[in-house]
Amino acid sequence: MIIIVVIVVVLLLLVGIVVGMYNGLIKLRNLVQEAWRQIDVELTRRHDLIGNLVETVKGYAAHERGTLEDVIRARSAAMAPNQSPGQQAESENMLSQALGRLLAIAEAYPDLKANQNFMALQQELTSTEDRIASARRYYNATVRDLNTKVETVPTNFIAGMFGIRTAEYFEAVGEQREAPRVDFGQRDATIPPPSGYAGGSPSASTPPSPTSPATTPAAPEAAPAAPPATQPIDPTSSGNVPPAPPRA
């Protein structure tokens, strides 16, 4: 009986551990799905704002047909349903590139830049981009937690038994990953060291400093010392030697 009780207790303990691992994996998978739905909400808002932005630009620069059509095509591709996070990231990258060209065109139209609707759409779009970045960070964090559980022992056995797979990150691709390059046209120029650099030597043509020893005026010569004062000779003394001073 004791052996049977021990076996039953061990089996219940193992079942409890398996159930706990399974529930933890399901919880993480649900968090990943919820985080992705939040990204989808923000992306939908972004697509709507870009559509309104295109219509506003069209009223001022309708002849910029090529750029407008590029944005419309990229927007349609980004709005395609059932895309994986990797495919969605690629579509959003193409849309961002087309949007950048559209905003560059707006710089040539002062009336468009001053349009209140255009300015409001730009502000809303900037705010939406910030929310997308925040939602992407949260989504990637939940994906990291799920993937860690799926790929590590012993939860990887439970994940394999119940068909729980790793999730895909939603990462920036293409130009979004590249840092902006700042170049003022002086990248290949040779810049001389400053004149006060300790390792350099002063130029021979450089005029001496007013405080250098070569131009510092010489100090005036000291005046000749005055002759020592002589004591008057006592005519009553026998010699010319003056008497010694009295001792204290």
Side-chain angles (χ1 to χ4, degrees), residues 42-192:
E42 298 299 338
L43 290 178
T44 301
R45 177 180 175 82
R46 181 183 194 241
H47 300 157
D48 293 341
L49 289 172
I50 291 176
N52 295 333
L53 196 66
V54 169
E55 293 300 323
T56 303
V57 174
K58 189 183 298 184
Y60 288 83
H63 58 282
E64 303 285 354
R65 187 171 180 177
T67 302
L68 294 172
E69 290 179 351
D70 289 343
V71 177
I72 294 173
R73 281 195 300 267
R75 177 175 175 265
S76 298
M79 294 176 63
N82 301 325
Q83 295 188 76
S84 68
Q87 294 171 341
Q88 189 70 56
E90 182 67 28
S91 300
E92 294 298 328
N93 178 57
M94 299 299 296
L95 179 57
S96 296
Q97 295 179 21
L99 179 62
R101 293 191 294 269
L102 179 67
L103 295 178
I105 287 178
E107 296 294 326
Y109 297 88
D111 294 341
L112 173 60
K113 291 174 59 178
N115 182 272
Q116 294 295 328
N117 188 34
F118 181 79
M119 295 172 61
L121 288 172
Q122 277 191 308
Q123 293 176 359
E124 288 292 329
L125 189 59
T126 301
S127 176
T128 302
E129 298 287 353
D130 293 338
R131 288 197 293 269
I132 291 174
S134 178
R136 183 175 64 189
R137 286 192 296 268
Y138 176 72
Y139 169 80
N140 287 338
T142 57
V143 168
R144 177 200 61 206
D145 295 339
L146 174 62
N147 292 351
T148 301
K149 291 289 186 181
V150 171
E151 295 174 348
T152 56
V153 178
T155 49
N156 60 337
F157 297 108
I158 308 301
M161 291 172 55
F162 294 98
I164 301 175
R165 302 286 183 260
T166 57
E168 188 175 3
Y169 288 98
F170 182 56
E171 298 179 322
V173 294
E175 295 182 356
Q176 294 182 12
R177 297 182 63 91
E178 299 178 3
R181 178 178 177 179
V182 180
D183 187 358
F184 296 101
Q186 302 294 330
R187 186 175 297 274
D188 299 327
T190 302
I191 302 177

Side-chain angles (χ1 to χ4, degrees), residues 186-236:
Q186 302 294 330
R187 186 175 297 274
D188 299 327
T190 302
I191 302 177
S195 58
Y197 177 57
S201 58
S203 174
S205 61
T206 304
S209 173
T211 58
S212 61
T215 57
T216 303
E221 298 181 357
T230 58
Q231 298 181 358
I233 301 175
D234 188 3
T236 60

